[in-house]
Amino acid sequence: IRRKLAALASLSDHLLENNAVAGGNPVHGVKRPRIESNEGKTPALGDHQAKALLEAPDESTLKGLRDRAMLAVLLYHGLRREEAAQLQVSDIQERRGIQHLKIHGKGGKVRYLPLHPVAAGRIHLYLERSGHHLDDKKVPLFISVRGKSTGSAVSANGIYTVVEDYAKKAGIEVTGLGVHGLRATAATNALEHEADIAKVQAWLGHANISTTKIYDRRQNRPEDSPTF
Protein backbone atom coordinates (compact mmCIF):
# COMPACT_ATOMS: atom_id res chain seq x y z
CA ILE A 1 0.00 0.00 0.00
CA ARG A 2 2.84 2.36 0.88
CA ARG A 3 4.61 1.59 -2.39
CA LYS A 4 1.46 2.13 -4.45
CA LEU A 5 0.75 5.45 -2.72
CA ALA A 6 4.36 6.51 -3.32
CA ALA A 7 4.00 5.69 -7.03
CA LEU A 8 0.79 7.74 -7.25
CA ALA A 9 2.39 10.67 -5.41
CA SER A 10 5.39 10.63 -7.79
CA LEU A 11 3.14 10.44 -10.85
CA SER A 12 1.01 13.34 -9.60
CA ASP A 13 4.14 15.43 -8.91
CA HIS A 14 5.39 14.69 -12.44
CA LEU A 15 2.05 15.70 -14.00
CA LEU A 16 1.96 18.92 -11.95
CA GLU A 17 5.54 19.83 -12.92
CA ASN A 18 4.69 19.39 -16.60
CA ASN A 19 1.42 21.37 -16.28
CA ALA A 20 -0.56 18.33 -17.42
CA VAL A 21 -2.97 18.77 -14.50
CA ALA A 22 -3.95 21.72 -12.33
CA GLY A 23 -4.33 21.95 -8.55
CA GLY A 24 -2.36 20.17 -5.85
CA ASN A 25 -1.16 16.62 -5.41
CA PRO A 26 -4.21 14.61 -4.25
CA VAL A 27 -2.01 11.95 -2.61
CA HIS A 28 -0.24 14.37 -0.26
CA GLY A 29 -1.79 14.16 3.16
CA VAL A 30 -3.05 10.60 2.69
CA LYS A 31 -2.08 8.66 5.80
CA ARG A 32 0.13 5.73 4.88
CA PRO A 33 0.30 2.52 6.90
CA ARG A 34 3.33 2.21 9.15
CA ILE A 35 6.15 -0.14 8.24
CA GLU A 36 5.96 -3.20 10.49
CA SER A 37 9.57 -3.14 11.54
CA ASN A 38 12.71 -1.16 10.90
CA GLU A 39 14.81 -4.31 10.84
CA GLY A 40 15.58 -5.92 7.51
CA LYS A 41 14.43 -9.44 6.73
CA THR A 42 17.75 -10.28 5.04
CA PRO A 43 19.80 -12.58 7.28
CA ALA A 44 23.35 -11.62 8.22
CA LEU A 45 26.05 -14.18 9.02
CA GLY A 46 28.01 -14.33 12.25
CA ASP A 47 31.79 -13.80 12.05
CA HIS A 48 32.55 -17.54 12.35
CA GLN A 49 30.10 -18.33 9.51
CA ALA A 50 31.56 -15.61 7.28
CA LYS A 51 35.08 -16.98 7.87
CA ALA A 52 33.91 -20.54 7.10
CA LEU A 53 32.33 -19.33 3.85
CA LEU A 54 35.51 -17.47 2.82
CA GLU A 55 37.56 -20.64 3.31
CA ALA A 56 35.10 -23.05 1.64
CA PRO A 57 36.36 -22.98 -2.01
CA ASP A 58 39.21 -25.29 -3.02
CA GLU A 59 42.45 -23.37 -3.60
CA SER A 60 43.89 -25.97 -5.98
CA THR A 61 41.47 -25.38 -8.89
CA LEU A 62 40.93 -22.33 -11.11
CA LYS A 63 37.21 -22.30 -10.23
CA GLY A 64 38.10 -22.46 -6.54
CA LEU A 65 40.51 -19.53 -6.86
CA ARG A 66 37.88 -17.53 -8.74
CA ASP A 67 35.23 -18.29 -6.13
CA ARG A 68 37.58 -17.43 -3.25
CA ALA A 69 38.19 -14.04 -4.88
CA MET A 70 34.47 -13.58 -5.57
CA LEU A 71 33.38 -14.34 -1.99
CA ALA A 72 36.06 -11.98 -0.61
CA VAL A 73 34.91 -9.19 -2.96
CA LEU A 74 31.29 -9.71 -1.84
CA LEU A 75 31.93 -10.03 1.88
CA TYR A 76 34.54 -7.29 2.26
CA HIS A 77 32.77 -4.71 0.09
CA GLY A 78 29.05 -5.43 0.44
CA LEU A 79 28.33 -5.45 -3.29
CA ARG A 80 25.02 -6.25 -4.95
CA ARG A 81 25.28 -9.34 -7.15
CA GLU A 82 24.72 -7.28 -10.34
CA GLU A 83 27.61 -5.01 -9.31
CA ALA A 84 29.91 -8.00 -8.81
CA ALA A 85 28.82 -9.54 -12.13
CA GLN A 86 29.64 -6.29 -13.99
CA LEU A 87 33.16 -5.90 -12.55
CA GLN A 88 35.93 -5.76 -15.13
CA VAL A 89 39.66 -6.18 -14.54
CA SER A 90 40.03 -2.51 -15.57
CA ASP A 91 37.78 -1.57 -12.60
CA ILE A 92 40.70 -2.29 -10.26
CA GLN A 93 42.22 1.19 -10.18
CA GLU A 94 44.77 2.99 -8.09
CA ARG A 95 43.60 6.17 -6.35
CA ARG A 96 45.87 8.09 -3.97
CA GLY A 97 48.27 5.17 -3.95
CA ILE A 98 45.60 2.67 -2.83
CA GLN A 99 43.89 0.09 -5.00
CA HIS A 100 40.15 0.71 -5.40
CA LEU A 101 37.24 -1.09 -7.02
CA LYS A 102 35.20 1.03 -9.42
CA ILE A 103 31.60 -0.05 -8.84
CA HIS A 104 28.83 0.57 -11.35
CA GLY A 105 25.82 0.81 -9.08
CA LYS A 106 22.08 1.23 -9.47
CA GLY A 107 20.82 4.08 -11.63
CA GLY A 108 24.18 4.49 -13.39
CA LYS A 109 25.88 5.73 -10.20
CA VAL A 110 29.59 5.01 -9.92
CA ARG A 111 31.40 4.69 -6.58
CA TYR A 112 34.97 3.80 -5.65
CA LEU A 113 35.69 1.43 -2.77
CA PRO A 114 39.16 0.81 -1.32
CA LEU A 115 40.06 -2.79 -2.13
CA HIS A 116 40.49 -4.94 0.98
CA PRO A 117 43.99 -6.53 1.15
CA VAL A 118 42.55 -10.07 1.50
CA ALA A 119 40.35 -9.59 -1.58
CA ALA A 120 43.28 -8.00 -3.48
CA GLY A 121 45.50 -11.00 -2.69
CA ARG A 122 42.84 -13.47 -3.79
CA ILE A 123 42.12 -11.57 -7.03
CA HIS A 124 45.86 -11.53 -7.78
CA LEU A 125 46.15 -15.32 -7.30
CA TYR A 126 43.08 -15.93 -9.46
CA LEU A 127 44.25 -13.67 -12.32
CA GLU A 128 47.75 -15.15 -12.15
CA ARG A 129 46.27 -18.62 -12.72
CA SER A 130 43.61 -17.66 -15.28
CA GLY A 131 45.64 -15.09 -17.28
CA HIS A 132 42.46 -14.02 -19.12
CA HIS A 133 43.31 -10.33 -18.62
CA LEU A 134 46.77 -10.31 -20.19
CA ASP A 135 45.78 -9.03 -23.65
CA ASP A 136 43.03 -6.67 -22.55
CA LYS A 137 42.05 -5.26 -19.15
CA LYS A 138 38.51 -4.49 -20.36
CA VAL A 139 37.39 -8.05 -19.73
CA PRO A 140 35.11 -9.41 -16.98
CA LEU A 141 36.89 -9.93 -13.68
CA PHE A 142 35.01 -13.15 -12.94
CA ILE A 143 34.71 -15.28 -16.05
CA SER A 144 32.59 -18.40 -16.19
CA VAL A 145 34.52 -21.67 -16.26
CA ARG A 146 32.77 -22.72 -19.48
CA GLY A 147 33.29 -19.25 -20.91
CA LYS A 148 37.10 -19.40 -20.68
CA SER A 149 37.29 -19.49 -24.47
CA THR A 150 34.52 -16.94 -25.04
CA GLY A 151 35.47 -14.73 -22.09
CA SER A 152 31.89 -14.44 -20.87
CA ALA A 153 31.31 -13.18 -17.33
CA VAL A 154 29.70 -15.10 -14.50
CA SER A 155 26.08 -13.89 -14.48
CA ALA A 156 24.34 -12.39 -11.44
CA ASN A 157 22.44 -15.68 -11.10
CA GLY A 158 25.71 -17.60 -11.39
CA ILE A 159 27.09 -15.61 -8.46
CA TYR A 160 23.95 -16.45 -6.46
CA THR A 161 24.53 -20.17 -7.16
CA VAL A 162 28.20 -19.89 -6.08
CA VAL A 163 27.18 -18.39 -2.71
CA GLU A 164 24.45 -21.01 -2.23
CA ASP A 165 26.79 -23.93 -3.04
CA TYR A 166 29.58 -22.84 -0.68
CA ALA A 167 27.16 -22.01 2.12
CA LYS A 168 25.93 -25.60 1.85
CA LYS A 169 29.52 -26.90 1.71
CA ALA A 170 30.48 -24.87 4.82
CA GLY A 171 27.42 -26.22 6.65
CA ILE A 172 25.81 -22.77 6.93
CA GLU A 173 22.08 -23.25 7.17
CA VAL A 174 20.61 -19.76 6.93
CA THR A 175 17.22 -19.47 5.27
CA GLY A 176 17.23 -17.05 2.34
CA LEU A 177 20.95 -16.28 2.57
CA GLY A 178 21.94 -15.44 -1.03
CA VAL A 179 24.24 -12.62 -2.11
CA HIS A 180 22.11 -10.03 -0.33
CA GLY A 181 22.82 -11.85 2.92
CA LEU A 182 26.54 -11.25 2.34
CA ARG A 183 25.77 -7.56 1.71
CA ALA A 184 23.82 -7.48 4.99
CA THR A 185 26.74 -9.22 6.73
CA ALA A 186 29.22 -6.63 5.42
CA ALA A 187 26.96 -3.74 6.45
CA THR A 188 26.14 -5.13 9.90
CA ASN A 189 29.79 -5.94 10.54
CA ALA A 190 30.96 -2.46 9.52
CA LEU A 191 28.37 -0.79 11.76
CA GLU A 192 29.18 -3.08 14.70
CA HIS A 193 32.81 -2.05 14.39
CA GLU A 194 31.87 1.63 14.75
CA ALA A 195 31.88 2.61 11.06
CA ASP A 196 30.06 5.91 10.49
CA ILE A 197 26.53 5.19 9.19
CA ALA A 198 26.69 7.98 6.57
CA LYS A 199 29.93 6.48 5.23
CA VAL A 200 28.36 3.00 5.20
CA GLN A 201 25.44 4.48 3.21
CA ALA A 202 27.85 5.81 0.54
CA TRP A 203 29.86 2.56 0.65
CA LEU A 204 26.76 0.46 -0.07
CA GLY A 205 25.49 2.92 -2.67
CA HIS A 206 22.18 3.55 -0.87
CA ALA A 207 20.23 6.58 -2.10
CA ASN A 208 18.57 6.95 1.30
CA ILE A 209 20.07 6.50 4.78
CA SER A 210 16.85 4.83 6.00
CA THR A 211 17.79 1.82 3.82
CA THR A 212 21.17 1.66 5.58
CA LYS A 213 19.56 1.85 9.02
CA ILE A 214 17.81 -1.46 8.28
CA TYR A 215 21.25 -3.11 8.65
CA ASP A 216 22.00 -1.34 11.92
CA ARG A 217 21.32 -4.22 14.29
CA ARG A 218 23.52 -2.97 17.11
CA GLN A 219 20.48 -2.47 19.35
CA ASN A 220 19.64 -6.17 19.26
CA ARG A 221 22.95 -8.01 19.24
CA PRO A 222 22.43 -11.31 21.10
CA GLU A 223 25.64 -10.84 23.14
CA ASP A 224 24.31 -7.53 24.55
CA SER A 225 21.05 -9.08 25.69
CA PRO A 226 20.18 -9.22 29.41
CA THR A 227 19.89 -12.99 28.81
CA PHE A 228 23.68 -13.15 28.98
Side-chain angles (χ1 to χ4, degrees):
I1 293 167
R2 283 178 64 88
R3 192 166 64 237
K4 287 177 179 177
L5 284 169
L8 287 171
S10 297
L11 174 63
S12 300
D13 280 342
H14 174 71
L15 294 173
L16 284 163
E17 275 168 30
N18 290 280
N19 298 316
V21 294
N25 188 326
V27 189
H28 286 174
V30 176
K31 215 166 176 341
R32 301 183 189 190
R34 288 180 56 155
I35 299 173
E36 293 165 27
S37 150
N38 63 353
E39 185 173 328
K41 303 283 186 280
T42 311
L45 298 178
D47 284 359
H48 63 291
Q49 291 174 311
K51 281 176 183 158
L53 186 62
L54 280 168
E55 295 309 319
D58 177 9
E59 277 180 280
S60 65
T61 68
L62 177 61
K63 183 184 183 302
L65 285 173
R66 182 202 70 188
D67 296 345
R68 283 174 73 80
M70 189 188 289
L71 290 171
V73 164
L74 291 168
L75 268 169
Y76 283 110
H77 306 91
L79 302 190
R80 300 175 176 102
R81 60 180 174 170
E82 291 80 7
E83 293 170 346
Q86 282 174 26
L87 277 175
Q88 295 194 326
V89 178
S90 58
D91 289 328
I92 300 167
Q93 299 178 3
E94 201 153 298
R95 290 164 71 87
R96 291 173 147 194
I98 291 169
Q99 281 195 317
H100 281 66
L101 284 176
K102 181 183 180 182
I103 310 298
H104 302 271
K106 269 187 181 175
K109 287 185 195 159
V110 171
R111 64 188 192 278
Y112 290 88
L113 307 181
L115 182 58
H116 192 283
V118 171
R122 289 183 174 205
I123 288 170
H124 177 73
L125 285 173
Y126 160 55
L127 290 178
E128 209 175 38
R129 173 78 75 88
S130 85
H132 70 275
H133 64 303
L134 294 174
D135 300 326
D136 183 9
K137 293 275 187 287
K138 280 203 168 301
V139 290
L141 177 56
F142 302 119
I143 56 165
S144 79
V145 176
R146 290 194 195 93
K148 183 83 203 289
S149 50
T150 59
S152 58
V154 180
S155 67
N157 282 344
I159 291 175
Y160 183 87
T161 308
V162 165
V163 172
E164 217 176 28
D165 288 352
Y166 288 113
K168 209 174 282 175
K169 187 182 170 189
I172 301 165
E173 288 177 31
V174 176
T175 313
L177 177 62
V179 180
H180 215 76
L182 304 195
R183 187 165 156 84
T185 302
T188 305
N189 208 296
L191 289 164
E192 281 184 352
H193 289 86
E194 310 309 320
D196 180 281
I197 193 159
K199 287 181 178 165
V200 174
Q201 177 195 351
W203 186 67
L204 292 171
H206 283 155
N208 197 311
I209 201 159
S210 60
T211 316
T212 316
K213 282 180 179 160
I214 288 168
Y215 297 114
D216 194 356
R217 295 168 187 171
R218 286 173 289 185
Q219 301 309 314
N220 39 23
R221 289 192 297 185
E223 59 268 36
D224 295 341
S225 165
T227 302
F228 300 112

